[in-house]
Structures are given as structure tokens and as C-alpha cells.
Amino acid sequence: MPDRPVLWLPRRVSDATVARARQDYDVVLNEADDVSPPERIIEMSAKVDAMMPCHSEIFSADVVAKLDPRLKILANHSVGTDHCDLEALRAKGIAVTNTPDVLSDATAEIAMLLMLGAARRAVEGDRCVRTGAWDFWSPSFMVGKQVSGAKIGIVGMGRVGQAFARKARGFDMEIHYFNRSRLSEADEHGAVYHDTLESLLPEADFLSLHCPATPETRDLLNAETLAKLPAGSIVVNTARGALVDEDALIAALKSGHVSAAGIDCFKVEPGGNPAFADLDNVFMLPHIGSATVRTRDAMGFRALDNLDAFFRGKTPKDLL
Ligand code: DGY
């Protein structure tokens, strides 16, 4: 192992992360902070021992096949790893880590913001006041859906799902969840387990997605599954755009079967889906679930902890 491994930071991570990285690594920055196309990733793999990519850098099987053997580890600055073909990376002998735990609360906060904003018509209300169009009030004006005491369906009860459930309990929500495996009674805190998505959906006045994007979860919300939600339910997605058939969600939002949605993740990023922008009942954010100062530092430090362990010959905590 080199004394001072060369580490590429393809995106602008926090200043504290860069400062700490410089203590132990020869750091190569991407000053432009743009998304690296496959050719650049492949070219850089011959110049560095390690990379700290984000979900924006795509390591498909094609890219992985062309990576230089100098590259030893991808210490992802993300919990999601759907941008990495893990099987191909494993076969190539490249270690891969991620950053679980540290972003759960920040992401759950954004899910809460989206749920409240969608339910209480934040987009319409803000626009109405901001544009000076607010010239009317009555008890029937801008009536939304109450979150407190409603039933929330959580898809994926991992770390983020559980952090979201903790916050939802503060709103006295009745928590239902679908997960591959049931949590222990202590971790459930009274939440109701559903062993299929189909059993969860009819209960969900609100539905929040917190599972990873995999071939099995692709488009798990589609015309058929959306139809199983109660009329007027509200959908929140802070996980990945791949989980939702966006055309089907738009149709459900237009028909009113889904009364509103809060969306932080889209099939196409950056950019999102312009068809959502025509709908007042959609509250959107640009994939900023984990974007707080504290969490960005924690993600960078967790990625560095993984790198440090690897280059000291130990097993990184978050080795996948
Ligand atoms: C993650 O960590 O997966 C977030 O989506 C940010 O990349």
C-alpha cells in the first residue's frame, strides 16, 4: 500500500472533508465540480489509488471493465450505491464502501418537510403570497389534508425509514410499514408490520419511500400499485427516482386519486421531470435529502474512515 495514496474527489465535498483528506492523502480535486463522464472516470482510474464518488458518478459494468488496476477502492460519499455495479466491481477486486447512518436524520427531515408541504399546499400558498395574488380568505380557502393522527405507510424500514418513523410519531401518526424482514418489537415502537406492499398500500393515507433502488424495487409505485392506495393519499419520495413510474404518478395526481406528492428524487437527475412542474399539488426539491452542513461533514468523514481502514490493511466498517 502506498504511504500517501492518491485520492480523487470527483465532486466538491465539504471543506472539513477536504482538509482532513489532505492530512493523509494526495488529493486530486475536480475544481469544475461537474459530473464526470465515463471517459474521465476511466482516465482517472490510472492516476489514483482511491476515489470518493457521489451518486452522480456512474460505475456501470462497461465502465468497471475499463478501470485501471491501480484503482483499489471506491469510498462512496453516499449511502445509495445504485450508481455502482457492485458485482462487476467485486469481480474486478475493487473495494466499495458507502456512508450509512450519518444521513438518516437529515433525509428523514426532508421527507417530513415534503409530506407537510404536499399535505398543506406549500407550493400554492407560497406562490399566492409571493406574487401578490393573495386577495381573498375564507374557511374554504386552501384547505389541505391533516398529517397529525393520520396513517403513514413506510416502504423500507432501514435506518432512514426508522428515523422518519421517529419523526412521524411526533405527529401522532399511526405507523405501518413494509420491509423485507420484520423489526424486533423494541424497534417497531408499535408500528404495524406488513409482509407485502399490497397489504400496506390500502392503509396508507400517506406513503413514504425509504428503500434502495434495485432491479426488484424499480417502478414499485406504478399504475397498479398506486390504484391500491386510498383515494386522496399523499406520496413522498426521498429515496430514488427509480422506485416510481413517473407517468403513472402524474396520471394519479391529475385524477386526484393521489391528492399530492412530495418529491426529492427523480428518474432523470439533475433536471427532474418537467411534467410534474405543471401540477400545483406537487412539492419538489432537487435531491437535497442529506444536504446539511453537519451531515455533509459526517458523510465525508465516514468515507475517509473507510479509506483509512482500507489503507491500514483493516476491513472498512462499511465495506459492501
Ligand atoms: C445518498 O447518500 O444516497 C443520497 O441520495 C445522496 O447521494
Side-chain angles (χ1 to χ4, degrees), residues 124-142:
E124 289 165 87
D126 179 82
R127 187 186 305 127
C128 170
V129 182
R130 190 181 293 273
T131 60
W134 184 29
D135 58 0
F136 175 78
W137 187 92
S138 114
S140 59
F141 175 59
M142 285 217 41

Side-chain angles (χ1 to χ4, degrees), residues 232-244:
S233 69
I234 289 182
V235 169
V236 175
N237 185 9
T238 53
R240 282 293 184 264
L243 304 176
V244 178

Side-chain angles (χ1 to χ4, degrees), residues 55 77-80 99 103 239-240 287 290 296 299:
H55 72 264
H77 186 282
S78 67
V79 66
T99 58
L103 44 67
R240 282 293 184 264
H287 200 143
S290 49
R296 287 290 184 246
M299 291 169 78

Side-chain angles (χ1 to χ4, degrees), residues 147-190:
V147 169
S148 303
K151 283 190 198 173
I152 174 77
I154 299 178
V155 180
M157 204 51 146
R159 299 170 184 89
V160 182
Q162 289 181 54
F164 179 70
R166 277 197 296 279
K167 290 165 187 24
R169 277 198 293 277
F171 279 80
D172 299 325
M173 298 189 88
E174 181 180 316
I175 297 165
H176 292 245
Y177 73 101
F178 162 60
N179 199 45
R180 271 176 312 184
S181 52
R182 186 170 181 169
L183 300 183
S184 69
E185 210 180 319
D187 287 340
E188 269 182 348
H189 297 282

Side-chain angles (χ1 to χ4, degrees), residues 63-85:
V63 170
V64 174
K66 295 181 189 135
L67 293 176
D68 192 273
R70 174 165 182 184
L71 178 67
K72 299 289 183 299
I73 177 167
L74 296 184
N76 281 297
H77 186 282
S78 67
V79 66
T81 53
D82 48 306
H83 58 290
C84 294
D85 189 318

Side-chain angles (χ1 to χ4, degrees), residues 21 29 46 52 58 67 75 82 92-93 100 104 111-112 116 122 145 151 160 166 194 213 278 288:
L29 301 176
M52 191 192 289
I58 311 297
L67 293 176
D82 48 306
K92 187 111 181 169
S104 305
M112 192 54 71
L116 290 165
K145 181 171 169 130
K151 283 190 198 173
V160 182
R166 277 197 296 279
H194 295 259
D278 294 334
I288 53 166

